[in-house]
Amino acid sequence: LQLRQGIMKHDINEQIFKDPVCGMEVSYKTATGETSYGTKLFYFCSPDCQLAFETEPEKFLKHHRQHGIRPK
């Protein structure tokens, strides 16, 4: 990572993920932890976000809903 004008810049080839708890962008290099849930691997910016997700993962996952179907 390079720090330039106060903004973190990621390598061009580095894949960026969104922390499902706080929404911060992290990479596998900058993440403090990772957790697999279902078939996905999630990366976290802090141990607190990882713990919150592991405690209640469904709270932080956005489920796709089809058009015309109202949420219950």
Side-chain angles (χ1 to χ4, degrees):
L1 294 178
Q2 297 173 337
L3 190 60
R4 186 172 173 199
Q5 297 178 4
I7 299 172
M8 291 181 102
K9 299 286 184 184
H10 297 280
D11 293 338
I12 298 217
N13 296 326
E14 190 175 359
Q15 189 170 1
I16 304 302
F17 304 93
K18 188 176 278 196
D19 182 317
V21 176
C22 70
M24 183 175 175
E25 290 184 347
V26 295
S27 72
Y28 71 94
K29 292 180 185 177
T30 62
T32 62
E34 62 184 50
T35 295
S36 61
Y37 183 75
T39 60
K40 288 189 168 187
L41 189 59
F42 296 91
Y43 294 91
F44 302 93
C45 70
S46 72
D48 290 337
C49 283
Q50 184 175 2
L51 180 60
F53 181 84
E54 290 173 347
T55 302
E56 240 182 317
E58 289 295 320
K59 178 179 178 181
F60 302 103
L61 297 177
K62 294 181 180 166
H63 297 284
H64 175 76
R65 77 175 178 92
Q66 294 179 353
H67 295 284
I69 299 175
R70 296 185 191 275
K72 295 179 181 180

